[in-house]
PDB file of all heavy atoms in Angstrom:
ATOM      1  N   GLY A  30      92.980  17.060 130.405  1.00 98.00           N
ATOM      2  CA  GLY A  30      91.911  18.068 130.353  1.00 98.00           C
ATOM      3  C   GLY A  30      90.564  17.458 130.655  1.00 98.00           C
ATOM      4  O   GLY A  30      89.602  17.684 129.932  1.00 98.00           O
ATOM      5  N   ARG A  33      86.504  19.243 132.725  1.00 96.00           N
ATOM      6  CA  ARG A  33      85.409  20.012 132.118  1.00 96.00           C
ATOM      7  C   ARG A  33      85.094  19.446 130.747  1.00 96.00           C
ATOM      8  O   ARG A  33      85.911  18.736 130.141  1.00 96.00           O
ATOM      9  CB  ARG A  33      85.837  21.451 131.881  1.00 96.00           C
ATOM     10  CG  ARG A  33      86.150  22.268 133.071  1.00 96.00           C
ATOM     11  CD  ARG A  33      86.247  23.724 132.694  1.00 96.00           C
ATOM     12  NE  ARG A  33      87.472  24.103 131.996  1.00 96.00           N
ATOM     13  CZ  ARG A  33      87.463  24.760 130.817  1.00 96.00           C
ATOM     14  NH1 ARG A  33      86.361  25.108 130.224  1.00 96.00           N
ATOM     15  NH2 ARG A  33      88.603  25.093 130.244  1.00 96.00           N
ATOM     16  N   GLY A  34      83.940  19.808 130.233  1.00 97.00           N
ATOM     17  CA  GLY A  34      83.597  19.595 128.831  1.00 97.00           C
ATOM     18  C   GLY A  34      83.646  18.134 128.370  1.00 97.00           C
ATOM     19  O   GLY A  34      83.214  17.206 129.086  1.00 97.00           O
ATOM     20  N   ILE A  35      84.189  17.943 127.183  1.00 98.00           N
ATOM     21  CA  ILE A  35      84.225  16.606 126.598  1.00 98.00           C
ATOM     22  C   ILE A  35      85.068  15.660 127.483  1.00 98.00           C
ATOM     23  O   ILE A  35      84.678  14.501 127.709  1.00 98.00           O
ATOM     24  CB  ILE A  35      84.813  16.681 125.156  1.00 98.00           C
ATOM     25  CG1 ILE A  35      83.863  17.424 124.230  1.00 98.00           C
ATOM     26  CG2 ILE A  35      85.119  15.285 124.620  1.00 98.00           C
ATOM     27  CD1 ILE A  35      84.418  17.765 122.852  1.00 98.00           C
ATOM     28  N   ARG A  55      94.601  22.056 133.849  1.00 97.00           N
ATOM     29  CA  ARG A  55      95.672  23.042 133.907  1.00 97.00           C
ATOM     30  C   ARG A  55      95.376  24.161 134.910  1.00 97.00           C
ATOM     31  O   ARG A  55      96.230  24.542 135.685  1.00 97.00           O
ATOM     32  CB  ARG A  55      95.847  23.669 132.509  1.00 97.00           C
ATOM     33  CG  ARG A  55      97.031  24.598 132.401  1.00 97.00           C
ATOM     34  CD  ARG A  55      96.862  25.557 131.277  1.00 97.00           C
ATOM     35  NE  ARG A  55      95.475  26.063 131.267  1.00 97.00           N
ATOM     36  CZ  ARG A  55      94.983  26.912 130.403  1.00 97.00           C
ATOM     37  NH1 ARG A  55      95.744  27.360 129.447  1.00 97.00           N
ATOM     38  NH2 ARG A  55      93.728  27.322 130.467  1.00 97.00           N
ATOM     39  N   SER A  56      94.090  24.637 134.937  1.00 96.00           N
ATOM     40  CA  SER A  56      93.829  25.807 135.783  1.00 96.00           C
ATOM     41  C   SER A  56      92.509  25.731 136.559  1.00 96.00           C
ATOM     42  O   SER A  56      92.324  26.534 137.474  1.00 96.00           O
ATOM     43  CB  SER A  56      93.819  27.069 134.912  1.00 96.00           C
ATOM     44  OG  SER A  56      92.858  26.902 133.883  1.00 96.00           O
ATOM     45  N   SER A  57      91.613  24.854 136.195  1.00 93.00           N
ATOM     46  CA  SER A  57      90.283  24.855 136.834  1.00 93.00           C
ATOM     47  C   SER A  57      90.310  24.109 138.177  1.00 93.00           C
ATOM     48  O   SER A  57      89.866  22.957 138.273  1.00 93.00           O
ATOM     49  CB  SER A  57      89.235  24.208 135.909  1.00 93.00           C
ATOM     50  OG  SER A  57      89.153  24.935 134.735  1.00 93.00           O
ATOM     51  N   THR A  77      98.444  19.205 135.616  1.00 98.00           N
ATOM     52  CA  THR A  77      99.568  18.957 134.695  1.00 98.00           C
ATOM     53  C   THR A  77      99.345  19.761 133.420  1.00 98.00           C
ATOM     54  O   THR A  77      98.333  19.536 132.731  1.00 98.00           O
ATOM     55  CB  THR A  77      99.633  17.460 134.310  1.00 98.00           C
ATOM     56  OG1 THR A  77      99.713  16.662 135.484  1.00 98.00           O
ATOM     57  CG2 THR A  77     100.802  17.165 133.397  1.00 98.00           C
ATOM     58  N   ASP A  78     100.218  20.671 133.142  1.00 98.00           N
ATOM     59  CA  ASP A  78     100.119  21.403 131.863  1.00 98.00           C
ATOM     60  C   ASP A  78     100.739  20.525 130.799  1.00 98.00           C
ATOM     61  O   ASP A  78     101.969  20.289 130.785  1.00 98.00           O
ATOM     62  CB  ASP A  78     100.893  22.729 132.021  1.00 98.00           C
ATOM     63  CG  ASP A  78     100.759  23.597 130.769  1.00 98.00           C
ATOM     64  OD1 ASP A  78     100.462  23.046 129.692  1.00 98.00           O
ATOM     65  OD2 ASP A  78     100.982  24.805 130.882  1.00 98.00           O
ATOM     66  N   VAL A  79      99.913  20.048 129.868  1.00 98.00           N
ATOM     67  CA  VAL A  79     100.423  19.077 128.864  1.00 98.00           C
ATOM     68  C   VAL A  79     101.408  19.723 127.893  1.00 98.00           C
ATOM     69  O   VAL A  79     102.130  19.010 127.185  1.00 98.00           O
ATOM     70  CB  VAL A  79      99.302  18.388 128.039  1.00 98.00           C
ATOM     71  CG1 VAL A  79      98.436  17.535 128.950  1.00 98.00           C
ATOM     72  CG2 VAL A  79      98.480  19.408 127.276  1.00 98.00           C
ATOM     73  N   ASN A 105      92.961  14.648 125.213  1.00 98.00           N
ATOM     74  CA  ASN A 105      91.773  15.496 125.041  1.00 98.00           C
ATOM     75  C   ASN A 105      92.071  16.985 125.255  1.00 98.00           C
ATOM     76  O   ASN A 105      91.386  17.823 124.687  1.00 98.00           O
ATOM     77  CB  ASN A 105      90.707  15.013 126.047  1.00 98.00           C
ATOM     78  CG  ASN A 105      89.567  16.033 126.153  1.00 98.00           C
ATOM     79  OD1 ASN A 105      88.694  16.096 125.305  1.00 98.00           O
ATOM     80  ND2 ASN A 105      89.586  16.853 127.211  1.00 98.00           N
ATOM     81  N   ALA A 106      93.050  17.306 126.099  1.00 98.00           N
ATOM     82  CA  ALA A 106      93.291  18.716 126.449  1.00 98.00           C
ATOM     83  C   ALA A 106      93.483  19.539 125.166  1.00 98.00           C
ATOM     84  O   ALA A 106      94.226  19.151 124.270  1.00 98.00           O
ATOM     85  CB  ALA A 106      94.551  18.831 127.314  1.00 98.00           C
ATOM     86  N   GLY A 107      92.761  20.659 125.096  1.00 98.00           N
ATOM     87  CA  GLY A 107      92.915  21.456 123.873  1.00 98.00           C
ATOM     88  C   GLY A 107      92.438  22.886 124.113  1.00 98.00           C
ATOM     89  O   GLY A 107      91.635  23.141 125.014  1.00 98.00           O
ATOM     90  N   ILE A 108      92.983  23.797 123.339  1.00 97.00           N
ATOM     91  CA  ILE A 108      92.599  25.213 123.435  1.00 97.00           C
ATOM     92  C   ILE A 108      92.418  25.774 122.029  1.00 97.00           C
ATOM     93  O   ILE A 108      92.882  25.229 121.058  1.00 97.00           O
ATOM     94  CB  ILE A 108      93.648  26.079 124.171  1.00 97.00           C
ATOM     95  CG1 ILE A 108      95.027  25.961 123.463  1.00 97.00           C
ATOM     96  CG2 ILE A 108      93.753  25.651 125.631  1.00 97.00           C
ATOM     97  CD1 ILE A 108      95.992  27.047 123.867  1.00 97.00           C
ATOM     98  N   ILE A 155      91.713  13.322 120.572  1.00 99.00           N
ATOM     99  CA  ILE A 155      90.558  14.144 120.215  1.00 99.00           C
ATOM    100  C   ILE A 155      91.015  15.183 119.206  1.00 99.00           C
ATOM    101  O   ILE A 155      91.672  16.174 119.574  1.00 99.00           O
ATOM    102  CB  ILE A 155      89.901  14.822 121.475  1.00 99.00           C
ATOM    103  CG1 ILE A 155      89.716  13.792 122.577  1.00 99.00           C
ATOM    104  CG2 ILE A 155      88.599  15.480 121.030  1.00 99.00           C
ATOM    105  CD1 ILE A 155      88.800  12.640 122.297  1.00 99.00           C
ATOM    106  N   SER A 156      90.718  14.930 117.934  1.00 98.00           N
ATOM    107  CA  SER A 156      91.045  15.886 116.878  1.00 98.00           C
ATOM    108  C   SER A 156      89.804  16.776 116.687  1.00 98.00           C
ATOM    109  O   SER A 156      89.128  17.115 117.659  1.00 98.00           O
ATOM    110  CB  SER A 156      91.432  15.128 115.612  1.00 98.00           C
ATOM    111  OG  SER A 156      91.713  16.040 114.577  1.00 98.00           O
ATOM    112  N   SER A 157      89.469  17.114 115.450  1.00 98.00           N
ATOM    113  CA  SER A 157      88.328  17.986 115.223  1.00 98.00           C
ATOM    114  C   SER A 157      88.000  18.039 113.724  1.00 98.00           C
ATOM    115  O   SER A 157      88.898  17.847 112.902  1.00 98.00           O
ATOM    116  CB  SER A 157      88.673  19.421 115.657  1.00 98.00           C
ATOM    117  OG  SER A 157      87.721  20.344 115.199  1.00 98.00           O
ATOM    118  N   TYR A 170      94.670  26.329 115.178  1.00 98.00           N
ATOM    119  CA  TYR A 170      93.917  25.194 115.694  1.00 98.00           C
ATOM    120  C   TYR A 170      93.759  24.090 114.648  1.00 98.00           C
ATOM    121  O   TYR A 170      93.986  22.904 114.913  1.00 98.00           O
ATOM    122  CB  TYR A 170      92.520  25.693 116.155  1.00 98.00           C
ATOM    123  CG  TYR A 170      91.634  24.651 116.790  1.00 98.00           C
ATOM    124  CD1 TYR A 170      91.834  24.264 118.114  1.00 98.00           C
ATOM    125  CD2 TYR A 170      90.564  24.112 116.080  1.00 98.00           C
ATOM    126  CE1 TYR A 170      90.990  23.325 118.695  1.00 98.00           C
ATOM    127  CE2 TYR A 170      89.711  23.205 116.657  1.00 98.00           C
ATOM    128  CZ  TYR A 170      89.930  22.796 117.976  1.00 98.00           C
ATOM    129  OH  TYR A 170      89.089  21.882 118.557  1.00 98.00           O
ATOM    130  N   LYS A 174      95.163  20.275 114.894  1.00 98.00           N
ATOM    131  CA  LYS A 174      94.247  19.108 114.863  1.00 98.00           C
ATOM    132  C   LYS A 174      94.544  18.227 113.643  1.00 98.00           C
ATOM    133  O   LYS A 174      94.363  16.999 113.725  1.00 98.00           O
ATOM    134  CB  LYS A 174      92.797  19.564 114.876  1.00 98.00           C
ATOM    135  CG  LYS A 174      92.365  20.240 116.200  1.00 98.00           C
ATOM    136  CD  LYS A 174      92.520  19.258 117.372  1.00 98.00           C
ATOM    137  CE  LYS A 174      92.056  19.856 118.685  1.00 98.00           C
ATOM    138  NZ  LYS A 174      92.158  18.901 119.799  1.00 98.00           N
ATOM    139  N   PRO A 200      85.240  15.440 116.527  1.00 98.00           N
ATOM    140  CA  PRO A 200      83.930  16.046 116.806  1.00 98.00           C
ATOM    141  C   PRO A 200      83.694  17.227 115.872  1.00 98.00           C
ATOM    142  O   PRO A 200      84.650  17.896 115.417  1.00 98.00           O
ATOM    143  CB  PRO A 200      84.061  16.522 118.248  1.00 98.00           C
ATOM    144  CG  PRO A 200      85.244  15.812 118.815  1.00 98.00           C
ATOM    145  CD  PRO A 200      86.168  15.598 117.653  1.00 98.00           C
ATOM    146  N   GLY A 201      82.406  17.475 115.606  1.00 97.00           N
ATOM    147  CA  GLY A 201      82.020  18.709 114.903  1.00 97.00           C
ATOM    148  C   GLY A 201      81.878  19.798 115.958  1.00 97.00           C
ATOM    149  O   GLY A 201      82.873  20.158 116.611  1.00 97.00           O
ATOM    150  N   ILE A 203      80.411  20.698 119.534  1.00 97.00           N
ATOM    151  CA  ILE A 203      79.882  20.088 120.712  1.00 97.00           C
ATOM    152  C   ILE A 203      79.631  21.184 121.743  1.00 97.00           C
ATOM    153  O   ILE A 203      80.459  22.074 121.927  1.00 97.00           O
ATOM    154  CB  ILE A 203      80.893  19.047 121.278  1.00 97.00           C
ATOM    155  CG1 ILE A 203      81.402  18.090 120.169  1.00 97.00           C
ATOM    156  CG2 ILE A 203      80.300  18.275 122.459  1.00 97.00           C
ATOM    157  CD1 ILE A 203      80.329  17.219 119.495  1.00 97.00           C
ATOM    158  N   THR A 205      80.075  22.771 124.630  1.00 94.00           N
ATOM    159  CA  THR A 205      80.944  22.907 125.803  1.00 94.00           C
ATOM    160  C   THR A 205      81.328  24.388 125.896  1.00 94.00           C
ATOM    161  O   THR A 205      80.927  25.181 125.053  1.00 94.00           O
ATOM    162  CB  THR A 205      82.247  22.100 125.637  1.00 94.00           C
ATOM    163  OG1 THR A 205      83.004  22.684 124.578  1.00 94.00           O
ATOM    164  CG2 THR A 205      81.971  20.638 125.355  1.00 94.00           C
ATOM    165  N   MET A 207      84.030  25.654 125.086  1.00 86.00           N
ATOM    166  CA  MET A 207      84.766  26.064 123.876  1.00 86.00           C
ATOM    167  C   MET A 207      83.824  26.612 122.814  1.00 86.00           C
ATOM    168  O   MET A 207      84.104  27.658 122.207  1.00 86.00           O
ATOM    169  CB  MET A 207      85.543  24.837 123.317  1.00 86.00           C
ATOM    170  CG  MET A 207      86.521  25.197 122.235  1.00 86.00           C
ATOM    171  SD  MET A 207      87.486  23.792 121.690  1.00 86.00           S
ATOM    172  CE  MET A 207      88.870  23.825 122.793  1.00 86.00           C
ATOM    173  N   VAL A 208      82.684  25.945 122.625  1.00 88.00           N
ATOM    174  CA  VAL A 208      81.728  26.422 121.621  1.00 88.00           C
ATOM    175  C   VAL A 208      80.899  27.591 122.221  1.00 88.00           C
ATOM    176  O   VAL A 208      80.490  28.492 121.525  1.00 88.00           O
ATOM    177  CB  VAL A 208      80.810  25.253 121.153  1.00 88.00           C
ATOM    178  CG1 VAL A 208      79.551  25.746 120.504  1.00 88.00           C
ATOM    179  CG2 VAL A 208      81.599  24.399 120.169  1.00 88.00           C
TER     180      VAL A 208
HETATM  181  P1  NAP B 785      86.896  22.926 127.063  1.00 93.44           P
HETATM  182  O1  NAP B 785      85.540  22.816 127.637  1.00 93.44           O
HETATM  183  O2  NAP B 785      87.469  24.280 126.768  1.00 93.44           O
HETATM  184  O3  NAP B 785      87.921  22.122 128.005  1.00 93.44           O
HETATM  185  C1  NAP B 785      89.271  22.063 127.678  1.00 93.44           C
HETATM  186  C2  NAP B 785      90.013  21.213 128.645  1.00 93.44           C
HETATM  187  O4  NAP B 785      91.399  21.182 128.291  1.00 93.44           O
HETATM  188  C3  NAP B 785      89.929  21.735 130.075  1.00 93.44           C
HETATM  189  O5  NAP B 785      89.812  20.655 130.954  1.00 93.44           O
HETATM  190  C4  NAP B 785      91.269  22.431 130.261  1.00 93.44           C
HETATM  191  O6  NAP B 785      91.747  22.449 131.613  1.00 93.44           O
HETATM  192  C5  NAP B 785      92.155  21.521 129.440  1.00 93.44           C
HETATM  193  N1  NAP B 785      93.380  22.191 129.071  1.00 93.44           N
HETATM  194  C6  NAP B 785      93.556  23.302 128.328  1.00 93.44           C
HETATM  195  N2  NAP B 785      94.853  23.625 128.259  1.00 93.44           N
HETATM  196  C7  NAP B 785      95.526  22.654 128.910  1.00 93.44           C
HETATM  197  C8  NAP B 785      96.912  22.419 129.175  1.00 93.44           C
HETATM  198  N3  NAP B 785      97.859  23.243 128.735  1.00 93.44           N
HETATM  199  N4  NAP B 785      97.227  21.342 129.924  1.00 93.44           N
HETATM  200  C9  NAP B 785      96.278  20.491 130.375  1.00 93.44           C
HETATM  201  N5  NAP B 785      94.974  20.694 130.189  1.00 93.44           N
HETATM  202  C10 NAP B 785      94.604  21.754 129.472  1.00 93.44           C
HETATM  203  O7  NAP B 785      87.006  22.162 125.678  1.00 93.44           O
HETATM  204  P2  NAP B 785      86.144  20.954 125.067  1.00 93.44           P
HETATM  205  O8  NAP B 785      85.168  21.549 124.173  1.00 93.44           O
HETATM  206  O9  NAP B 785      85.747  20.028 126.134  1.00 93.44           O
HETATM  207  O10 NAP B 785      87.271  20.299 124.167  1.00 93.44           O
HETATM  208  C11 NAP B 785      87.969  19.122 124.510  1.00 93.44           C
HETATM  209  C12 NAP B 785      88.747  18.634 123.301  1.00 93.44           C
HETATM  210  O11 NAP B 785      87.835  18.428 122.214  1.00 93.44           O
HETATM  211  C13 NAP B 785      89.766  19.669 122.806  1.00 93.44           C
HETATM  212  O12 NAP B 785      90.915  19.008 122.335  1.00 93.44           O
HETATM  213  C14 NAP B 785      89.046  20.311 121.633  1.00 93.44           C
HETATM  214  O13 NAP B 785      89.927  20.856 120.710  1.00 93.44           O
HETATM  215  C15 NAP B 785      88.268  19.148 121.082  1.00 93.44           C
HETATM  216  N6  NAP B 785      87.111  19.508 120.297  1.00 93.44           N
HETATM  217  C16 NAP B 785      86.078  20.232 120.815  1.00 93.44           C
HETATM  218  C17 NAP B 785      84.991  20.566 120.016  1.00 93.44           C
HETATM  219  C18 NAP B 785      83.810  21.309 120.535  1.00 93.44           C
HETATM  220  O14 NAP B 785      82.954  21.640 119.731  1.00 93.44           O
HETATM  221  N7  NAP B 785      83.686  21.572 121.803  1.00 93.44           N
HETATM  222  C19 NAP B 785      84.966  20.143 118.689  1.00 93.44           C
HETATM  223  C20 NAP B 785      86.031  19.438 118.187  1.00 93.44           C
HETATM  224  C21 NAP B 785      87.100  19.108 119.001  1.00 93.44           C
HETATM  225  P3  NAP B 785      91.476  23.737 132.561  1.00 93.44           P
HETATM  226  O15 NAP B 785      89.986  23.850 132.681  1.00 93.44           O
HETATM  227  O16 NAP B 785      92.109  23.391 133.853  1.00 93.44           O
HETATM  228  O17 NAP B 785      92.084  24.910 131.882  1.00 93.44           O
END
Side-chain angles (χ1 to χ4, degrees):
R33 296 193 285 127
I35 292 171
R55 187 204 42 180
S56 56
S57 299
T77 303
D78 183 339
V79 295
N105 167 79
I108 57 163
I155 312 299
S156 178
S157 169
Y170 183 77
K174 293 299 183 178
I203 310 299
T205 66
M207 190 176 272
V208 162

